[in-house]
Amino acid sequence: MSDGSDGGPVADSRAVVRDALGVGVAVGLSGFAFGVTSAGSGLSLAQTCVLSLLVFTGASQFALVGALAAGGNPLTAAAGAFFLGVRNAFYGLRLSQLLRLPRSVRPLAAHWVIDETAVVALAQGDRRSARIGFTVTGATLYVLWNLTTLIGALGASALGDPNDWGLDAAGPAVFLALLAPMLSNTMERVVAGLGAVLVLVCVPLLPAGVPVLVAALAAPIVLAVHGRRTAGSGECAGPSGSSTGAAADAVATDTAVDTADVIEGEHR
């Protein structure tokens, strides 16, 4: 086996591990913002930590505590968080074919199916590298996210009101920064933009948490218009149509919740 000096498997594995650690550390540290925001929203230390341990999907967690902090109904807040988490099921369908993990570890691996692990795994050129990327990203992110959530929640009382420090917008800002590179084509940018507009219109009119659900309509609206234009021009959408739709839907919902968190924070 190659020792990695000639660019063989060992060198490839090291590159995958390096990239996966970079993603895991960068995103995992933002758990601090969630811990502070959650504690500032009125959740106890135990509730905050359990959310990170069991839910472990940042956008859904921020959506839940953001809606609760804005005075939203708990059921509505949970519905918005659940809706955002559903996208991970679609990641799971693709990753299950790529990773082909043993049945005994699939239930545990499913808990790590999130945006970051999916992106790192799908970026690899073979199954071995994809497994390494998924595992390292998932483990690093899970440990750091939960550790920084605990630190943030413990430090919330010392910091005072998160709004005074601007930390209520830190979480959404992190996710917006992660989403920006995903807007790779015009349709995805239009979906994200329409989702943001729907949030801006609905926040003053609807209860907290509901604007996120409304903004998710941006994806099917844009895809329907795009489909009609494609059919009218006689062009074929091609085999990538379904993946584009899934990406646009994820971008729309993530952008919607991040924008809603920022706007609702300003209204509180």
Side-chain angles (χ1 to χ4, degrees), residues 99-224:
L99 301 177
R100 295 190 181 279
L101 297 172
R103 291 184 180 273
S104 58
V105 301
R106 288 180 186 175
L108 296 176
H111 194 49
W112 286 357
V113 176
I114 54 176
D115 298 332
E116 292 77 19
T117 56
V119 167
V120 173
L122 293 172
Q124 308 310 318
D126 58 82
R127 177 167 295 131
R128 178 176 177 275
S129 296
R131 285 181 172 181
I132 294 173
F134 177 85
T135 303
V136 174
T137 305
T140 305
L141 185 50
Y142 189 76
V143 171
L144 279 179
W145 179 268
N146 283 282
L147 178 60
T148 54
T149 292
L150 174 62
I151 295 173
L154 288 173
S157 58
L159 290 172
D161 188 353
N163 294 338
D164 295 339
W165 296 82
L167 292 174
D168 57 318
V174 169
F175 282 98
L176 287 175
L178 291 172
L179 285 170
M182 296 174 61
L183 305 178
S184 57
N185 59 54
T186 300
M187 186 169 67
E188 290 174 357
R189 288 191 286 269
V190 172
V191 171
L194 180 57
V197 169
L198 289 174
V199 169
L200 288 169
V201 172
C202 293
V203 163
L205 305 175
L206 299 175
V210 176
V212 175
L213 302 177
V214 175
L217 296 174
I221 290 173
V222 173
L223 292 174

Side-chain angles (χ1 to χ4, degrees), residues 60 63-68 72-83 208-210:
S60 296
L64 178 62
V65 299
L68 292 176
N73 184 290
L75 293 178
T76 303
F82 174 80
F83 181 83
V210 176

Side-chain angles (χ1 to χ4, degrees), residues 10 22-23 86 95 142 152 154 162 183 198 216 218 230-231 238:
V10 175
V23 173
V86 167
L95 288 174
Y142 189 76
L154 288 173
L183 305 178
L198 289 174
T230 302

